[in-house]
């Protein structure tokens, strides 16, 4: 229980509707492994995307008993409704009015489902924003900054990485001596004054290698880190990588950034391969893309590189700059062959 977020309520509300959105995010330093209560085993750092978002409309009716009906892209989804009902019950101590009515939630993503773009991050981000907006009707006295911090806290309890989706730009989550104000309980915006301009206008083009459900969920992946032979080493490595990244972000050393970000992505997948039982989320298209991309970078020197989420799809990263046109052409002409259905989602982060 976290006292700073406990609450009581004063006002009574009957029925009200709110509409909120949150973007997805892509981690550069990965959160992989957690302790009870969604406490991360290491600090993580992500870019919040701009165009890949979840839009959520929530209608609350306090004349009805507690129930949740969630419609995903217009269709009632019983599995998600049940999941959100359980989530609401789990956060009652932080929003004491939450079980006092019925919810009809309409939600949709601006990007394809199961595209490897984390819809749980944007989904819980938008949901937490809706809840904090409803909270105002119950007499909440939180300032906008405090309400955002609490939204990040609540989103984290739904899905860890979701807490980072509440802020734009580069966002950190997890207690670290490297970042003042950082916490295991909510995300902290990474100060843009400490980020060189080369990192402040970046493309993320997601190559959809595989569009089905993943064979192993992130929750299972996190839990396999407990008995993992390299668990402790990984947590120490992520902490050290965060310290290195801090100085890279400041100095603008793009080559060091590329090396570190790719190393993080490959470490994540290496951990999966060394879990017990082992598993693989990369597909042949993932490997072919990486090899082709490396060859292109060697030939041209253009700063195209990649990161991976817990899935087969490849996030192609490159800064806006003199080579971005050439890089875009290369992706469209040479990398689309590795996708399952020609899927490519283009996003860009400017801050
Ligand atoms: C590989 O946040 O999806 O994307 O907390 O169990 O919901 P839960 O896991 P989740 O894990 C994300 C893992 C990752 C890395 C990252 O986003 O930092």
């Amino acid at each position: 229980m976290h006292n700073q977020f406990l609450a009581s309520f004063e006002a009574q509300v009957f029925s009200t509707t709110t509409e909120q959105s949150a973007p997805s995010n892509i981690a550069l330093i990965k959160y992989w492994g957690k302790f009870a209560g969604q406490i991360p085993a290491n600090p993580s750092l992500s870019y919040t995307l701009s165009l890949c978002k979840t839009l959520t409309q929530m209608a609350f009716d306090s004349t009805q008993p507690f129930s949740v009906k969630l419609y995903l892209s217009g269709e009632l989804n019983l599995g998600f409704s049940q999941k959100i009902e359980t989530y609401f019950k789990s956060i009652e101590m932080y929003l004491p009015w939450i079980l006092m009515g019925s919810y009809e939630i309409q939600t949709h993503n601006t990007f394809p489902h199961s595209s490897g773009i984390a819809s749980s991050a944007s989904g819980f981000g938008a949901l937490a924003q809706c809840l904090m907006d409803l909270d105002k009707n119950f007499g909440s006295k939180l300032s906008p900054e405090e309400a955002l911090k609490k939204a990040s806290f609540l989103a984290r309890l739904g899905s860890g990485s979701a807490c980072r989706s509440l802020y734009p730009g580069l966002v950190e989550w997890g207690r670290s001596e490297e970042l003042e104000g950082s916490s295991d309980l909510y995300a902290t915006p990474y100060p843009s004054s400490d980020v060189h301009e080369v990192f402040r206008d970046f493309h993320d083009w997601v190559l959809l290698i595989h569009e089905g459900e993943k064979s192993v969920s992130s929750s299972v992946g996190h839990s396999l880190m407990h008995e993992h032979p390299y668990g402790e080493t990984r947590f120490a490595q992520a902490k050290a990588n965060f310290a290195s990244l801090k100085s890279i972000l400041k100095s603008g050393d793009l080559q060091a950034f590329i090396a570190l970000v790719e190393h993080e992505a490959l470490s994540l997948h290496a951990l999966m391969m060394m879990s017990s039982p082992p598993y693989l989320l990369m597909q042949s298209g993932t490997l072919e893309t990486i090899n082709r991309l490396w060859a292109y970078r060697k030939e041209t020197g253009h700063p195209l590189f990649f990161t991976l989420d817990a899935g087969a799809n490849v996030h192609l990263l490159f800064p806006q700059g003199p080579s971005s046109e050439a890089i875009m052409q290369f992706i469209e002409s040479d990398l689309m062959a590795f996708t399952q259905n020609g899927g490519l989602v283009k996003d860009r982060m400017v801050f």
Side-chain angles (χ1 to χ4, degrees), residues 207-211 285 289 335-344:
L207 205 57
L208 306 187
I209 305 291
H210 179 74
E211 299 187 39
T289 302
L335 300 185
M336 296 306 291
F338 305 127
T339 63
Q340 197 177 20
N341 300 312
L344 177 66

Side-chain angles (χ1 to χ4, degrees), residues 191-241:
S192 53
S193 54
D194 288 344
V195 181
H196 189 277
E197 63 176 27
V198 71
F199 304 120
R200 286 199 260 131
D201 187 352
F202 239 79
H203 297 273
D204 178 8
W205 284 19
V206 191
L207 205 57
L208 306 187
I209 305 291
H210 179 74
E211 299 187 39
E213 286 297 321
K214 308 186 266 208
S215 54
V216 179
S217 72
S218 289
S219 322
V220 172
H222 285 293
S223 67
L224 290 173
M225 288 305 288
H226 287 301
E227 302 297 321
H228 199 287
Y230 296 99
E232 288 308 320
T233 317
R234 160 60 194 163
F235 306 143
Q237 176 206 34
K239 285 174 198 158
N241 282 348

Side-chain angles (χ1 to χ4, degrees), residues 105-183:
I105 302 169
Q106 298 279 353
T107 189
H108 73 270
N109 300 326
T110 61
F111 51 91
H113 185 59
S114 301
S115 61
I117 298 165
S119 58
S120 65
S122 52
F124 276 104
L127 203 64
Q129 294 268 55
C130 286
L131 293 175
M132 289 315 295
D133 196 44
L134 287 191
D135 195 43
K136 287 187 203 151
N137 295 301
F138 290 94
S140 163
K141 305 242 174 357
L142 296 180
S143 69
E145 295 77 47
E146 288 166 336
L148 201 55
K149 189 180 268 192
K150 187 161 173 178
S152 175
F153 171 85
L154 294 173
R156 178 193 113 250
L157 295 172
S159 177
S161 57
C163 71
R164 299 186 308 238
S165 274
L166 275 297
Y167 298 97
L170 281 167
V171 185
E172 194 272 353
W173 169 41
R175 177 79 202 100
S176 167
E177 278 160 22
E178 302 292 335
L179 184 65
E180 211 187 310
S182 58
S183 168

Side-chain angles (χ1 to χ4, degrees), residues 24 27 67 70 84 96 109 126 147 189 192 241 249 259 267 270 336:
S24 187
S67 69
L70 186 140
I84 299 307
N109 300 326
S192 53
N241 282 348
L249 287 171
S267 299
M336 296 306 291

